Amino acid sequence: MTYVVTENCIRCKYTDCVEVCPVDCFYVGETMLVINPDECIDCGVCEPECPADAIKAETEPGMAGWKAFNAKYAALWPNIAEKTDPAADAAAWDGRDGKLIEVFGAADPAAA
Ligand code: SF4
Ligand code: F3S
């Protein structure tokens, strides 16, 4: 079991999540973070910390594609264990529809 980072992290990147993770399993790309599903211990403490409500349990509906997305990019991006400044225009992007296709060019996270 794991938690996953989903679409609303894109271009918000608040990074409150990394501060509470006991196993430092967040990885950082240019526009968002992901969780390594093989390292996450399913403690759930990061979920309520995200101001963008972007972290979900993999057991929630529709999360299979996001789990694949998190696994793919966790293997490609560097680890992040300390909070950084959010994206400069985070407030403008928070809650916006269509961020996955706009930034990653795919409608389905499993294909991104
Ligand atoms: Fe880290 Fe726990 Fe969140 Fe998994 S659920 S990413 S172990 S804080
Ligand atoms: Fe992203 Fe939320 Fe963490 S916006 S960086 S998942 S606090």
Side-chain angles (χ1 to χ4, degrees):
M1 292 266 293
T2 184
Y3 280 71
V4 293
V5 181
T6 64
E7 185 167 14
N8 205 34
C9 182
I10 296 171
R11 295 210 190 283
C12 288
K13 214 176 172 183
Y14 290 115
T15 70
D16 300 68
C17 52
V18 304
E19 289 210 307
V20 298
C21 181
V23 294
D24 293 344
C25 64
F26 282 89
Y27 292 79
V28 57
E30 192 178 332
T31 59
M32 72 179 292
L33 270 58
V34 291
I35 290 167
N36 183 334
D38 293 330
E39 295 176 344
C40 174
I41 59 170
D42 201 36
C43 69
V45 300
C46 58
E47 183 184 23
E49 296 299 320
C50 176
D53 197 24
I55 300 176
K56 307 290 181 189
E58 69 164 309
T59 49
E60 291 190 35
M63 289 300 119
W66 282 107
K67 184 178 180 182
F69 180 100
N70 277 243
K72 174 183 174 179
Y73 287 103
L76 297 173
W77 294 343
N79 187 259
I80 177 171
E82 291 183 9
K83 183 171 169 54
T84 61
D85 289 338
D89 48 359
W93 283 86
D94 197 344
R96 216 163 116 171
D97 288 333
K99 293 200 278 186
L100 182 68
I101 196 157
E102 188 171 345
V103 175
F104 286 87
D108 178 356

